[in-house]
Amino acid sequence: MQQFVSKHWVNIVSFLLVLLVFNVPFYKYPIIPHSGDSMQSLDPSWQIMLNHALLHKYVWGKDIVYTYGPLGFLETRVSYGIPSYVFILFDLFVIVNLFIVFKSYINNASQKWLAVFLLFCLCIVYTMSGSTPWLLMFFIVYWMRRLYDHPNILNYVILVCCISLALFMKLNTGLISIFLFGALQVLMLLQKKIKLLNAGLYVGASAIIILLLAWLLNVSLYGYFIAAAEIVKGYVGVMSIESDKYKVVEMKINILAVVLMMLYGWIVINAVRHKKYEHIFFAGVACIFIVLLRKQAISRNDWGHYLEFFSSSSLILFTGVFTVDAGLQKWLLRFTGMYILLLMLFDARMRTPLVLAKSKIEPKLSYISGIAQYNNKPEEKNSRKIPLNVLLQLKGHTVDVFPWDAACAIENKLTYTPRPMFQSIGAFTEKLQLVNENHLYTKPSDYLLYEYATIDGRYAFFDDCRANIFIANNYKVADSFLMGDRQVLLLKRNGTNPVATKFDTIKTESYAISDKVFIQGSDFIKIKISENNKGRLNTFLNRAQEIKLVMTLDDGSAKTYKTSAEMLQAGMFVAAFIDGNTSFTAYINKGIKRKITSLSLSCHTDYFVKNIEVIRYNISK
């Protein structure tokens, strides 16, 4: 026994470390609150919608527009419609990869027990649940180095598997992975690690695999890429939260990012000195990992996204991408230890040993029980129950839901026919709004469940504004009901042929950014505001500057709402002021009373071009 342990201790320790770090529930079922703020249904709705789209064979990039792909359920762990063996196979893939990476890290270390201790610390600080795309990126970087050192078919296959999973799970990390894979092939060609013919064959085979998977998973790659680019472009402009609540946390993240960048800067200098040019490449890969992780954290600056940085940033230090002599490796190990210590000191959770132990044990017990209970998992249909008289009206008819409560339609077994960007708060740009408007015109639902709601202090009617205008012109209020303590409107389509909305241009004007723009009888206004060089640099390094839209009403009062350059350019309905279900109903019935008299922008003008362009429209049918 002692001889066996002595011979296989690295395997044993690596396996135990994998058991420690593997910390995900076997499945989740979104908790859908029956009452309270409608925002509580936001995350459960998009999570269950991903599964719904996969089950009903929606085409990603056409029928559904989102940055999460058809394998998004592997990140959310939502079990709706997914066989249990799919989760088991994916988890085995993750476990095997973790084992290989951990074993490799220990074997390549000059001080093996120090490496074991550092891996143990990683297992303590890393939270696997909710960060699967970054875990896949971690595997991708590791296998890129393995492929560089040993360009064989097995390493190619595993790397392409990781890239494919990342691509169809969440497009952001998947696209970056494809770019890095292509850059790696160029590096290997330049350093004569691979012949041109072989590189072409491997890249071609990888492309065929991705195209085949796209076909099997109903993904229009072009539409998937373009739509996701639009979402990301709009997201960074408006999704930050206006608060100094996490100012200290963000400062800590910036310090950690700078510390890592200093390490990779030192590695680049050392690589140039010793002509190890592959180290420059892999230092660049590591920097991209950290920059993207930080950008995600500060773009939606809430605790969940900050936690993802604290949890995942140290992963990149364990990929083993730098082959150095024993002396330099000793310094790398010490730096890794210093970084993890700093990470623990900065961790705002400040968990006690007992709480920490429970956080590692309870998910494993939950995982085991989840396997046993999978076929008897709960549903949430009683948490979003639609009154019987409304269900009878909807029977046999197609239904869409505004602004986002897909879970309501799915749990009540409605014939759900959603817009491609199924959450109106995500229609950040004009292109995304046009996609939804075109869907409503060509494939209109018979009924809509409509609730006037938004997030982050925005003006709800400007979320998916063109769709809102189309609805007001083509639907009538058939009923209303309470869902929990919130009123929901039941809208019914007028007739069989929808009426397209026409936007007739009146004129284009130029204003100073600080000027007040009077409505002057316009129905719809677009404002084109552009960042200057300082603003673009600030957006790249941090996040977009906040823009507030100030509306002056006909009674002299002023209302201030959060907006963005993309949303302003998409256009705003200004013929009436709508602030809830009651005024929306009045607008549909042509009885709206409150008017908007002028608009103005409130922002840090130093970050924007001094003049704005205003385009006025009248709306007709």
Side-chain angles (χ1 to χ4, degrees), residues 7-78:
K7 183 178 180 181
H8 298 285
W9 75 268
V10 173
N11 289 336
I12 295 169
V13 169
S14 298
F15 182 70
L16 291 174
L17 288 168
V18 170
L19 289 182
L20 177 63
V21 77
F22 188 80
N23 228 33
V24 295
F26 185 66
Y27 75 88
K28 290 180 183 177
Y29 206 88
I31 298 174
I32 307 169
H34 186 53
S35 61
D37 191 333
S38 58
M39 189 175 174
Q40 294 178 26
S41 65
L42 185 61
D43 285 344
S45 286
W46 71 256
Q47 290 171 2
I48 200 169
M49 178 59 194
L50 296 178
N51 294 48
H52 177 83
L54 180 64
L55 290 173
H56 289 80
K57 301 186 184 303
Y58 288 9
V59 177
W60 255 261
K62 182 181 177 183
D63 300 326
I64 177 172
V65 171
Y66 216 60
T67 52
Y68 278 95
L71 300 183
F73 67 89
L74 295 173
E75 156 72 344
T76 65
R77 307 295 295 197
V78 170

Side-chain angles (χ1 to χ4, degrees), residues 313-413:
S313 62
S314 56
L315 286 174
I316 198 67
L317 295 169
F318 293 88
T319 52
V321 293
F322 304 112
T323 54
V324 293
D325 59 40
L328 287 177
Q329 190 184 83
K330 187 185 297 183
W331 283 105
L332 280 176
L333 288 170
R334 289 174 180 174
F335 178 90
T336 302
M338 180 274 294
Y339 183 81
I340 289 182
L341 176 62
L342 193 59
L343 205 58
M344 289 178 169
L345 291 173
F346 280 0
D347 189 343
R349 290 170 291 178
M350 297 299 290
R351 295 168 292 179
T352 64
L354 180 60
V355 171
L356 188 60
K358 287 177 66 176
S359 73
K360 295 298 177 182
I361 295 171
E362 288 179 351
K364 293 173 178 58
L365 298 176
S366 173
Y367 188 93
I368 295 169
S369 64
I371 296 175
Q373 299 170 3
Y374 195 80
N375 292 327
N376 298 312
K377 54 187 179 292
E379 293 185 354
E380 294 282 339
K381 58 186 177 184
N382 292 325
S383 295
R384 268 287 190 273
K385 205 163 187 178
I386 295 174
L388 181 60
N389 66 307
V390 177
L391 287 175
L392 290 174
Q393 291 183 68
L394 299 177
K395 188 175 181 180
H397 294 282
T398 55
V399 181
D400 197 358
V401 183
F402 272 72
W404 57 66
D405 201 354
C408 171
I410 293 168
E411 288 289 1
N412 283 277
K413 306 292 191 291

Side-chain angles (χ1 to χ4, degrees), residues 305-590:
H305 288 83
Y306 285 143
L307 179 59
E308 204 162 348
F309 184 94
F310 286 117
S311 172
S312 302
S313 62
S314 56
L315 286 174
I316 198 67
L317 295 169
F318 293 88
T319 52
V321 293
F322 304 112
T323 54
V324 293
D325 59 40
L328 287 177
Q329 190 184 83
K330 187 185 297 183
W331 283 105
L332 280 176
L333 288 170
R334 289 174 180 174
F335 178 90
T336 302
M338 180 274 294
Y339 183 81
I340 289 182
L341 176 62
L342 193 59
L343 205 58
M344 289 178 169
L345 291 173
F346 280 0
D347 189 343
R349 290 170 291 178
M350 297 299 290
R351 295 168 292 179
T352 64
L354 180 60
V355 171
L356 188 60
K358 287 177 66 176
S359 73
K360 295 298 177 182
I361 295 171
E362 288 179 351
K364 293 173 178 58
L365 298 176
S366 173
Y367 188 93
I368 295 169
S369 64
I371 296 175
Q373 299 170 3
Y374 195 80
N375 292 327
N376 298 312
K377 54 187 179 292
E379 293 185 354
E380 294 282 339
K381 58 186 177 184
N382 292 325
S383 295
R384 268 287 190 273
K385 205 163 187 178
I386 295 174
L388 181 60
N389 66 307
V390 177
L391 287 175
L392 290 174
Q393 291 183 68
L394 299 177
K395 188 175 181 180
H397 294 282
T398 55
V399 181
D400 197 358
V401 183
F402 272 72
W404 57 66
D405 201 354
C408 171
I410 293 168
E411 288 289 1
N412 283 277
K413 306 292 191 291
L414 303 180
T415 307
Y416 182 38
T417 51
R419 311 169 304 291
M421 171 43 74
F422 54 90
Q423 292 187 320
S424 291
I425 60 162
F428 307 111
T429 70
E430 185 172 17
K431 286 183 180 179
L432 292 172
Q433 291 193 19
L434 287 169
V435 166
N436 275 357
E437 183 187 25
N438 182 64
H439 172 86
L440 289 170
Y441 180 69
T442 57
K443 300 176 183 177
S445 299
D446 298 329
Y447 285 90
L448 300 176
L449 301 181
Y450 190 98
E451 185 179 358
Y452 193 87
T454 187
I455 64 170
D456 299 344
R458 297 195 225 165
Y459 182 63
F461 203 82
F462 290 170
D463 291 340
D464 217 351
C465 188
R466 299 177 76 102
N468 272 306
I469 295 169
F470 181 92
I471 290 166
N473 290 334
N474 286 278
Y475 287 79
K476 63 184 178 183
V477 179
D479 203 347
S480 67
F481 60 93
L482 288 177
M483 186 178 295
D485 53 2
R486 303 200 311 271
Q487 184 193 45
V488 178
L489 300 178
L490 177 63
L491 306 183
K492 183 178 181 180
R493 181 156 54 96
N494 300 326
T496 56
N497 297 317
V499 179
T501 307
K502 296 180 181 178
F503 295 85
D504 303 314
T505 306
I506 302 172
K507 59 181 175 179
T508 300
E509 303 168 308
S510 180
Y511 287 81
I513 194 171
S514 57
D515 285 348
K516 185 173 285 191
V517 178
F518 289 93
I519 302 305
Q520 299 174 352
S522 304
D523 296 325
F524 192 79
I525 287 178
K526 293 181 182 179
I527 297 178
K528 293 185 178 181
I529 178 173
S530 302
E531 291 178 324
N532 55 25
N533 290 333
K534 181 180 178 181
R536 284 189 285 270
L537 180 62
N538 178 73
T539 299
F540 176 76
L541 294 177
N542 295 296
R543 51 178 167 265
Q545 276 295 314
E546 295 173 359
I547 303 176
K548 296 288 188 66
L549 181 69
V550 182
M551 296 182 186
T552 303
L553 307 184
D554 52 4
D555 61 2
S557 62
K559 304 287 185 180
T560 302
Y561 299 97
K562 184 178 181 180
T563 187
S564 69
E566 289 293 336
M567 293 182 73
L568 290 169
Q569 187 167 329
M572 301 161 286
F573 176 74
V574 294
F577 178 70
I578 300 168
D579 62 350
N581 283 350
T582 301
S583 55
F584 182 71
T585 301
Y587 171 59
I588 289 178
N589 296 330
K590 315 303 179 188

